Amino acid sequence: MSWAMQCQSYLPWGSWTQLRRSLSGSRGTWSVYLCAASVPGAAGSYFLRKVPRASDVSLPRGCVRYQGGSQEHSVQPSSSRHSLSHLRNVASSDAIKKHQKSLSAWFSHQPNEERQFGPSFSLDAVHVDPVIRESSLEEILKPSPDLTIQNQLQQPCSQVISLQNLFDVDACGRQVKNVVLYGTVGTGKSTLIKKMVVDWCHGRLPRFELVIPFSCEDLSHSHAPISLRRLITKKYQHLRDVVPMLGASNLKVLFILNGLERLNLDFRLAGTELCCDPNEPVPPSAIVVNLLRKYLLPEASIIVTTRPSAVRRIPGKYVGRYAEICGFSDTNLQKLYFQMRLSQPGCSGQNSAGSSSGEQENLVEMLSRNLERHNQIAAACFLPSYCWLVCTTLHFLYFTRTVPPSQTLTGIYTSFLRLNFSGEVLDSTDPTNISMMKYVAKTVGKLAYEGVMSRKTCFSEDDLRQCFEVEMKTESELNLLEVFRSDVFRFFLTPCVQPGKEHTFVFTIPAMQEYLAALYVVLGEKKTLAQRVGKELSEVIGKVSEDVAVVLNIISKVLPLRFLPVLFNLLKIFPRYFSRLSGKDRDAIAHTMAEELFKEEDYYNDDVLDQINSSILGVEGPMRHPDEAPDDEVFELFPIFMGGILSRRNRAILEQLGCSIKNLAAFEIAKAMKKTVIRNSRKGLPPSELMDYLFFLHEFQNERFTAEAIHSLRTVNLSSVKMTPLKCSVLASVMGTTCHEVEELNLTSCNLDTSSLRILFPVLLRCKALHLQLNSLGSDACKEIRDLLLHDKCVVSNLRLYFNDISEDGKQVLHSLRMDRDGVRALVFLTAGTDVSDYWSNILNVVQRNLPFWDRERVQQHLALILQDLESSRRQTPNPWRKAKFLRVESEVKKMLGKLQHGTL
């Protein structure tokens, strides 16, 4: 057999090219056969020069035959060492270094949502690798076990594999070239790939000399034929000098194909022809198929990331290893993630590093304790994406001190969905091409809304079946549901951890139920059958009427028929009638929002910000007994999210996700609810509900609407609301939309400190009566208060500061302010040095009147301290009249203290 035939016998038909040149010599003719396509990553045909001796011919894997003599022998490559050395130099050349620098800059770039964690935040600093478990095609295809917390958090440790070992030999000793890395939405596939690329750029992935990442979403948008070489240089221009060398050496190349579910791949020969030439233009999907077939650049390694539903698109024979990303199935990984995120320098954005550092450590400690209880939060943080949401929410709750706040809670949840679902379609093979978020809003949003309306957070299998399957009528709908179940379901719903409810499902994060319910309503998905049929008929008739109107206009000019104008007008009746129905639908949305915002049964719950804080950090104290009746479910975030979704910024983000809310619809909803909202707010809300109302106005992000709503508030009572820096910022921001004077601002027992006063300073200036008693205002707050009272724009005439830890010096500073001179009556304390305060009777009357609303234990402690202070001051004064005055006040305080201790007051 000739050498040409031998070379051909080792290759598939059509996979090689023959280059023949006749070289004249003294003893015969040279014929050179180059098996270019059989070379790993062959870079096209090589053009050989005429050489005088066989020893001078150098080919990587050429086949050379001498003809004309009786001898027949093969000539082996003589310069393989030189070729290998040359290509190694290429691998470390400036071109690859520039490529590494460019990739590092691109993949290290963080979205805007990450900038809140401080200037030192980077992917290297906070990344925690998720658990990766080796799998198999058989395991993927078999029915999944019952979805329980035990199955999620207790994965077999023996099958765990690290990212660095994915290309190790398999159990049979074969070298792995193709790896499929799959996981449901939110498990961290894209972040893991970003970290992998950054590691290679910084020399922490020495296995590969060149890494070339591709986004399958990017490739799916182009169907024009293109060669592999052109595709690489088009995406990475620094590789122009390196690409011709691909396949001509042992250069270790890794291709990364991220998001394979976006490509419709056909591995049949009838669907995708064989192609081994990197210079041949073919569709991008054909390049991917031939790379995975190992027909194009067979020596290259490939890692593919995809969702579970698309794993079967690649035939098993082309996959060397399957690996599943299991997220943070180990709670220790969750704790590590939280510690790294929340302990970043500059995370709190404050100069007081000591206090903020202590607060960060306290947050991490509380989170760790909650995770150790195997609470629902541990089930949520199984997904790294939800760990991000937890950290971002805590950062918003604890470290927001700017006025106005830089974020909204609705904006955090909308951005969270953008980070996970931007550009995602549920199934790229489905002709409807429905966006994943739109499908979630229609289906999961319906479940969430029905749960909110029925005050339910746990859902049975029947509930899910009624929600997802009742309207399934076509094959396409059933296919979409199957993709949703395998890829997205666990992102939103997780098994309940409460004893006795293991086979029910809850929303991964409680607030997500209210967000999706709000999105479902605002998008107008809550329609009756008549409304849905009416909308479809309106669209059809409206479209037909446009065509018919043109014909009727032409006929009316030729034939003077009187009935044609009447018929023309009749065609327009139904679309106009439906537009009126649409207006009523928006009125219904506004009514739902206002009704849910002012539900009287929720009036004495904690405010929504405290509820969110408790859902994340847990409630300190004894656990609830299993037989004890649970508290009624509250959904006070639901109307707040409805308002937040209508803000311009959130509507723009939702538009990117395929959930369109028109400007006109947002305007009409706001207009419809304005009267109801303002009328209800005038009735006088309990403090926690008033805080929720202010937070709603902040989330709505409509300054004109807020100004009209706030202008009607003349008295603001937030007593006993724990005024965190965020709540102070919200109050200052919302009240700052107007300049009207406030008759009374009651911030009694609100945990205010000096920093709170600084945030609220512009608001305090406009209040005539200011209640700051029972707070944490020390002596350092006296300067802020004095500056406030002496400000030229201050209207304060009545200031109550008693039951604060103010020193004698501070009392003297504030007692020097007099009504007759400064226009201020300062009720600071019962004593003023060696005298009794002029306002002692006012103070005791206010205390007695407000005891039902104040913390009795704290008031009792303060009264005991007051009694000691009175006795000390009485002993110090030599004036007998003052001693008598002290004794009178002491007797009143003792009487009140005794009634408190016996519970008769």
Side-chain angles (χ1 to χ4, degrees):
M1 181 187 295
S2 68
W3 271 101
M5 294 303 295
Q6 288 182 36
C7 289
Q8 182 180 359
S9 67
Y10 290 122
L11 299 173
W13 178 256
S15 67
W16 60 286
T17 57
Q18 178 180 358
L19 176 65
R20 176 178 181 131
R21 279 194 178 181
S22 299
L23 303 175
S24 59
S26 59
R27 301 179 63 183
T29 303
W30 288 95
S31 295
V32 182
Y33 297 87
L34 176 62
C35 307
S38 67
V39 180
S45 303
Y46 284 84
F47 294 91
L48 306 177
R49 296 179 302 166
K50 191 182 296 182
V51 291
R53 294 175 306 185
S55 60
D56 290 332
V57 178
S58 175
L59 291 173
R61 287 179 62 185
C63 303
V64 183
R65 180 187 176 195
Y66 175 76
Q67 296 177 343
S70 59
Q71 286 184 314
E72 186 174 347
H73 57 86
S74 63
V75 179
Q76 299 295 331
S78 63
S79 60
S80 60
R81 292 182 181 179
H82 172 73
S83 176
L84 183 61
S85 174
H86 172 68
L87 289 169
R88 283 180 176 171
N89 290 335
V90 171
S92 60
S93 67
D94 291 340
I96 290 185
K97 289 179 181 178
K98 289 180 181 178
H99 177 60
Q100 288 178 323
K101 185 177 180 180
S102 175
L103 279 184
S104 178
W106 176 258
F107 281 88
S108 297
H109 176 73
Q110 297 296 332
N112 291 334
E113 290 84 356
E114 300 287 32
R115 295 179 184 176
Q116 63 188 314
F117 291 106
S120 62
F121 177 85
S122 66
L123 188 63
D124 280 346
V126 298
H127 181 76
V128 178
D129 283 338
V131 173
I132 303 175
R133 186 176 62 89
E134 189 165 4
S135 182
S136 64
L137 185 60
E138 292 75 16
E139 188 175 345
I140 297 170
L141 296 178
K142 74 179 181 181
S144 58
D146 291 339
L147 187 60
T148 63
I149 279 300
Q150 287 72 23
N151 289 334
Q152 279 189 332
L153 299 181
Q154 297 177 4
Q155 297 288 349
C157 295
S158 59
Q159 296 178 328
V160 171
I161 185 171
S162 68
L163 187 66
Q164 289 75 18
N165 300 124
L166 287 177
F167 290 95
D168 289 353
V169 295
D170 61 13
C172 299
R174 294 171 298 198
Q175 184 63 48
V176 172
K177 287 294 184 182
N178 290 351
V179 174
V180 172
L181 192 63
Y182 69 95
T184 58
V185 174
T187 49
K189 300 183 296 295
S190 297
T191 304
L192 189 66
I193 289 302
K194 286 174 67 175
K195 182 63 167 57
M196 186 179 185
V197 173
V198 171
D199 281 348
W200 175 75
C201 293
H202 296 163
R204 294 192 290 266
L205 200 65
R207 182 190 290 265
F208 302 106
E209 295 169 287
L210 180 61
V211 170
I212 304 176
F214 285 118
S215 165
C216 293
E217 179 185 359
D218 181 31
L219 297 179
S220 69
H221 294 311
S222 174
H223 302 285
I226 188 172
S227 68
L228 175 60
R229 283 187 175 179
R230 177 71 186 103
L231 182 63
I232 294 173
T233 55
K234 181 181 178 181
K235 306 298 180 185
Y236 306 106
Q237 60 177 349
H238 299 299
L239 296 180
R240 281 195 302 262
D241 298 331
V242 179
V243 166
M245 311 305 295
L246 290 178
S249 73
N250 294 324
L251 186 67
K252 298 174 182 177
V253 182
L254 172 66
F255 285 97
I256 298 176
L257 302 172
N258 188 36
L260 194 76
E261 68 275 356
R262 297 303 303 267
L263 286 175
N264 296 326
L265 302 182
D266 189 349
F267 281 82
R268 299 171 304 159
L269 289 177
T272 305
E273 64 177 345
L274 296 173
C275 175
C276 63
D277 186 357
N279 292 315
E280 183 178 348
V282 293
S285 59
I287 293 177
V288 172
V289 167
N290 281 290
L291 282 173
L292 290 169
R293 283 171 173 166
K294 311 312 295 179
Y295 203 74
L296 182 62
L297 303 187
E299 294 302 320
S301 299
I302 302 172
I303 186 168
V304 172
T305 68
T306 186
R307 302 199 304 256
S309 63
V311 169
R312 286 170 287 184
R313 296 184 189 178
I314 306 175
K317 62 182 178 180
Y318 298 125
V319 180
R321 174 171 282 125
Y322 292 94
E324 179 185 10
I325 301 182
C326 300
F328 294 155
S329 54
D330 184 352
T331 53
N332 289 324
L333 294 178
Q334 299 175 10
K335 293 179 184 178
L336 179 61
Y337 182 94
F338 292 136
Q339 185 174 10
M340 295 177 73
R341 279 269 176 170
L342 295 174
S343 300
Q344 281 292 299
C347 175
S348 62
Q350 295 296 302
N351 297 326
S352 54
S355 59
S356 63
S357 176
E359 193 168 16
Q360 290 169 331
E361 292 175 3
N362 185 45
L363 283 178
V364 173
E365 178 63 27
M366 293 178 71
L367 260 177
S368 297
R369 284 202 299 268
N370 209 15
L371 291 171
E372 288 166 0
R373 295 188 189 115
H374 292 289
N375 211 327
Q376 199 68 52
I377 189 73
C381 294
F382 166 77
L383 295 173
S385 292
Y386 276 98
C387 291
W388 181 91
L389 181 60
V390 166
C391 289
T392 306
T393 305
L394 285 176
H395 190 274
F396 175 66
L397 292 176
Y398 282 88
F399 302 126
T400 299
R401 290 176 172 84
T402 58
V403 180
S406 57
Q407 294 190 87
T408 63
L409 186 67
T410 315
I412 289 174
Y413 275 74
T414 308
S415 296
F416 169 70
L417 294 174
R418 183 187 70 80
L419 291 173
N420 286 279
F421 294 98
S422 180
E424 293 283 352
V425 295
L426 186 61
D427 185 4
S428 61
T429 63
D430 187 79
T432 61
N433 213 31
I434 184 172
S435 77
M436 189 178 288
M437 196 61 233
K438 180 68 173 178
Y439 186 88
V440 167
K442 291 167 67 73
T443 54
V444 188
K446 179 184 177 184
L447 180 71
Y449 173 75
E450 291 177 353
V452 169
M453 291 296 102
S454 59
R455 292 296 190 260
K456 183 167 64 174
T457 57
C458 292
F459 303 92
S460 64
E461 289 282 356
D462 289 337
D463 295 328
L464 300 181
R465 195 175 298 109
Q466 285 293 322
C467 179
F468 293 107
E469 298 180 7
V470 70
E471 296 182 2
M472 296 294 151
K473 298 176 183 178
T474 65
E475 184 72 16
S476 174
E477 290 174 334
L478 290 173
N479 290 338
L480 289 175
L481 178 60
E482 188 62 32
V483 173
F484 170 80
R485 279 174 171 165
S486 65
D487 296 351
V488 193
F489 179 84
R490 285 193 293 178
F491 186 85
F492 292 103
L493 293 159
T494 188
C496 184
V497 300
Q498 295 181 24
K501 296 185 178 180
E502 291 85 355
H503 296 287
T504 62
F505 296 89
V506 296
F507 277 83
T508 312
I509 291 285
M512 184 59 74
Q513 178 179 354
E514 298 176 76
Y515 181 93
L516 292 177
L519 183 62
Y520 178 76
V521 174
V522 174
L523 285 175
E525 295 295 337
K526 185 178 75 71
K527 291 185 177 70
T528 62
L529 180 61
Q531 287 174 323
R532 292 183 182 180
V533 172
K535 181 181 179 182
E536 293 174 2
L537 284 175
S538 174
E539 291 174 352
V540 172
I541 294 176
K543 196 171 184 180
V544 171
S545 66
E546 292 176 2
D547 300 331
V548 175
V550 176
V551 177
L552 289 177
N553 282 329
I554 296 173
I555 295 176
S556 63
K557 292 177 181 178
V558 179
L559 301 175
L561 300 177
R562 296 180 179 179
F563 69 89
L564 288 178
V566 178
L567 181 60
F568 177 73
N569 289 327
L570 285 174
L571 286 171
K572 297 181 178 180
I573 288 177
F574 191 84
R576 288 176 181 173
Y577 176 71
F578 180 76
S579 67
R580 292 181 182 177
L581 287 179
S582 299
K584 291 184 178 180
D585 187 40
R586 288 161 187 163
D587 289 343
I589 294 174
H591 176 74
T592 300
M593 191 185 308
E595 183 182 17
E596 291 293 324
L597 188 63
F598 299 105
K599 270 189 175 293
E600 292 189 7
E601 57 263 36
D602 297 337
Y603 268 14
Y604 296 100
N605 298 318
D606 291 337
D607 62 81
V608 291
L609 293 174
D610 283 349
Q611 291 175 28
I612 295 170
N613 184 69
S614 299
S615 70
I616 295 175
L617 298 180
V619 179
E620 297 295 324
M623 298 289 288
R624 183 189 298 274
H625 192 274
D627 297 332
E628 186 179 347
D631 295 332
D632 292 336
E633 299 292 350
V634 293
F635 296 94
E636 294 177 273
L637 268 175
F638 169 55
I640 293 174
F641 277 144
M642 287 179 70
I645 287 171
L646 289 172
S647 71
R648 185 179 298 274
R649 178 181 178 275
N650 288 320
R651 284 190 287 116
I653 296 176
L654 288 168
E655 181 77 32
Q656 300 172 20
L657 298 175
C659 300
S660 178
I661 304 170
K662 302 300 182 185
N663 288 333
L664 181 60
F667 173 77
E668 291 181 349
I669 293 171
K671 182 180 177 182
M673 75 176 184
K674 184 182 296 183
K675 292 182 180 179
T676 308
V677 167
I678 295 176
R679 183 176 65 250
N680 286 327
S681 67
R682 287 173 179 167
K683 294 178 180 179
L685 299 171
S688 62
E689 291 303 306
L690 180 57
M691 188 67 240
D692 289 346
Y693 178 57
L694 297 173
F695 189 60
F696 164 79
L697 295 175
H698 164 67
E699 293 286 313
F700 197 29
Q701 294 288 290
N702 187 325
E703 190 169 333
R704 184 177 177 182
F705 182 97
T706 301
E708 292 186 42
I710 286 298
H711 195 74
S712 62
L713 287 179
R714 296 294 174 177
T715 300
V716 179
N717 180 13
L718 294 173
S719 61
S720 300
V721 173
K722 185 181 178 182
M723 293 299 290
T724 62
L726 171 61
K727 294 177 189 176
C728 291
S729 299
V730 169
L731 175 59
S733 173
V734 171
M735 297 295 290
T737 57
T738 67
C739 299
H740 76 284
E741 291 183 1
V742 179
E743 294 294 330
E744 183 179 359
L745 175 60
N746 191 344
L747 295 174
T748 302
S749 190
C750 290
N751 285 32
L752 296 178
D753 56 16
T754 307
S755 62
S756 305
L757 295 182
R758 294 193 187 104
I759 296 174
L760 293 172
F761 195 91
V763 178
L764 302 181
L765 286 173
R766 296 158 41 198
C767 302
K768 293 181 179 179
L770 196 53
H771 297 254
L772 299 178
Q773 58 267 34
L774 277 170
N775 280 293
S776 303
L777 300 175
S779 300
D780 55 344
C782 293
K783 183 180 181 300
E784 297 290 334
I785 295 170
R786 184 176 177 82
D787 292 343
L788 168 74
L789 297 176
L790 297 179
H791 196 281
D792 56 353
K793 293 184 179 179
C794 179
V795 299
V796 176
S797 60
N798 192 326
L799 172 65
R800 299 179 180 181
L801 270 171
Y802 46 87
F803 293 177
N804 281 287
D805 299 326
I806 299 176
S807 66
E808 286 297 329
D809 293 338
K811 294 177 192 176
Q812 292 297 332
V813 169
L814 296 175
H815 270 303
S816 64
L817 299 168
R818 294 297 176 188
M819 177 68 72
D820 55 352
R821 187 185 65 193
D822 303 307
V824 179
R825 185 174 68 165
L827 284 69
V828 182
F829 222 63
L830 288 179
T831 59
T834 57
D835 197 1
V836 178
S837 169
D838 294 337
Y839 307 120
W840 70 269
S841 60
N842 300 76
I843 294 174
L844 292 181
N845 287 336
V846 170
V847 171
Q848 189 164 358
R849 190 166 61 247
N850 288 282
L851 269 178
F853 313 106
W854 291 356
D855 183 350
R856 286 173 168 262
E857 184 177 351
R858 188 173 180 190
V859 171
Q860 189 173 326
Q861 292 172 359
H862 274 283
L863 286 175
L865 291 173
I866 286 172
L867 193 58
Q868 294 176 12
D869 194 22
L870 286 169
E871 292 171 349
S872 175
S873 298
R874 175 169 51 84
R875 287 192 294 267
Q876 292 176 17
T877 181
N879 190 318
W881 295 107
R882 288 184 180 178
K883 284 183 181 291
K885 196 175 181 180
F886 272 113
L887 286 171
R888 181 185 173 190
V889 177
E890 283 178 38
S891 65
E892 293 291 333
V893 173
K894 285 179 180 178
K895 188 187 300 183
M896 186 178 292
L897 190 57
K899 289 182 178 180
L900 266 175
Q901 291 172 344
H902 293 92
T904 58
L905 187 62

